Every structure is written in structure tokens, then in C-alpha cells.
Amino acid sequence: KNEVEQSPQNLTAQEGEFITINCSYSVGISALHWLQQHPGGGIVSLFMLSSGKKKHGRLIATINIQEKHSSLHITASHPRDSAVYICAVSTGNQFYFGTGTSLTVIP
Amino acid sequence: NAGVTQTPKFQVLKTGQSMTLQCAQDMNHEYMSWYRQDPGMGLRLIHYSVGAGITDQGEVPNGYNVSRSTTEDFPLRLLSAAPSQTSVYFCASRQQGIYGYTFGSGTRLTVV
């Protein structure tokens, strides 16, 4: 069983498009995280949120606690946004990850 | 540069060999953790620590040992490597509370 489910698994977009990646989870959480894994393998923490909405540049993350759902939006996508985006939830000190969404943005 | 440093970046082991993956952070973070990443399975938590002298198991702890003698270091030990432990290993740390995680650059381990 997967505590965290992401969709879609793969996503190809044209430069400039608005992108949405979805994450659903089945456990009670203390926080939800969005991570970005670059093609070279490095992982960067994008957002950590427990309610509402956060924005950083062209990235927006939202969470609906009642529906156990989160979305990551990328506005005006750019080829440098091409990466794997990973949703993860923390329950106390345990940490569960989705399998990631591979995003390719074509110029 | 402040951050999480993992060594080595690559390692090939023979079945049955032992080794230690090193992880060090210079941000005075209380929480440190180890993950493995396998194709199609995503990242999985192996062990974590909430402070010096305190460690606990994650989702997939079997075959791995950890210790936390200092705030800075959190080594992961494979006592007898098995091919099933072929994976990419990431160490991460964070300050307890509202802050996000800082990840190391990863160690690609192959057990033959």
C-alpha cells in the first residue's frame, strides 16, 4: 500500500504552459513536502506546508487537509523546470514519499 | 558551504563486505535521516535521529545500523552488504519545527 499517491507519473508540457501536479495521501500528517529532484540526482526542498497555500516565484503549493490532497502548480513553465517532483508527508518523525512526477518542458 | 555532505558519491561492494556511508551537516540541525531511492518505489526512510544519542527505525531498517554521537554526523553502516541493498542513498537534515529539509547529493551504491 502507498501512503502517498502522485499524478500524473509523467508530464510533458510546452514552454509557458501552466502545470499542475497532484498528490493524495492516506495518513494523518504533521506536514506535506514538495521536493524537486534534478536530472543529476540532487534533491531540493521546495515547500513544507501544513495548511493553506504557499508561493515561491512561479511555484505555488496548496493543501486541503480535509480532502488529504495537495497540488503543486508551476506558472509560465520553462525548460529549466524539467525535473522529478516528489510529494512527501511527515507523520511525526516518519516520512513517506510518492514515486514522483517526471516533468519535461519543451522549448 | 553550509549543507549536508555525503561521502562517498559512488561505491561498489562485494556481497558480504561492510562499509559506512558518511553524512555530515554544519547547520546544527537536530533531525537527520537516511533514505534509499529505488526505481519505481520512490524514496524510503531507513533510519532517523532527532538528536545526538537518539536514533530510531524508519520504513526499511533491516540490514542497516546507525549511530549519532554528535549533532553533526550521522553515519549509515552496512554490516554485510547484499545485492538488494544496491540503491541510491540520501541523507537529509532539518531543524525541528517548520523548516524544510536539506538533502545531501547522494551515494550510488552497487553490491555485486
Side-chain angles (χ1 to χ4, degrees):
Chain A
K1 81 177 168 64
N2 294 324
E3 288 80 6
V4 181
E5 298 280 355
Q6 282 183 245
S7 63
Q9 282 191 312
N10 297 286
L11 182 56
T12 300
Q14 292 288 333
E15 183 174 358
E17 286 186 1
F18 181 85
I19 289 164
T20 296
I21 299 170
N22 295 300
C23 175
S24 297
Y25 54 92
S26 59
V27 294
I29 67 170
S30 49
L32 184 139
H33 307 256
W34 282 102
L35 310 171
Q36 180 192 54
Q37 186 166 27
H38 299 291
I43 299 174
V44 175
S45 179
L46 298 175
F47 294 104
M48 176 176 168
L49 66 165
S50 55
S51 65
K53 174 180 172 179
K54 286 190 176 180
K55 184 176 189 290
H56 186 262
R58 294 180 294 105
L59 301 178
I60 303 166
T62 65
I63 186 169
N64 185 317
I65 297 295
Q66 286 73 30
E67 294 185 5
K68 295 189 173 180
H69 182 269
S70 175
S71 293
L72 176 69
H73 306 286
I74 305 175
T75 62
S77 59
H78 190 276
R80 64 175 174 266
D81 297 326
S82 298
V84 175
Y85 292 84
I86 300 169
C87 174
V89 298
S90 51
T91 64
N93 289 311
Q94 295 289 339
F95 206 8
Y96 300 101
F97 296 81
T99 53
T101 294
S102 179
L103 171 65
T104 302
V105 181
I106 299 170
Chain B
N1 291 337
V4 177
T5 302
Q6 280 187 244
T7 56
K9 292 192 184 302
F10 301 94
Q11 183 71 50
V12 178
L13 288 179
K14 293 182 179 179
T15 298
Q17 284 186 318
S18 63
M19 81 159 294
T20 299
L21 279 64
Q22 301 291 345
C23 176
Q25 53 91 10
D26 57 2
M27 299 169 285
N28 202 33
H29 284 176
E30 297 164 340
Y31 182 95
M32 296 185 74
S33 47
W34 276 102
Y35 308 88
R36 59 178 291 172
Q37 185 175 39
D38 302 294
M41 300 199 68
L43 288 148
R44 289 180 291 170
L45 178 64
I46 304 171
H47 285 286
Y48 66 93
S49 168
V50 298
I54 306 170
T55 64
D56 207 344
Q57 297 180 348
E59 187 181 354
V60 288
N62 293 339
Y64 307 95
N65 283 345
V66 291
S67 60
R68 184 94 179 270
S69 57
T70 66
T71 300
E72 294 78 20
D73 299 299
F74 190 44
L76 179 72
R77 297 183 185 85
L78 286 71
L79 297 179
S80 180
S84 61
Q85 293 179 304
T86 293
S87 188
V88 181
Y89 292 84
F90 288 94
C91 178
S93 72
R94 72 172 172 87
Q95 191 60 275
Q96 293 282 54
I98 64 171
Y99 303 105
Y101 285 76
T102 301
F103 282 81
S105 57
T107 296
R108 186 174 295 275
L109 175 68
T110 302
V111 183
V112 297

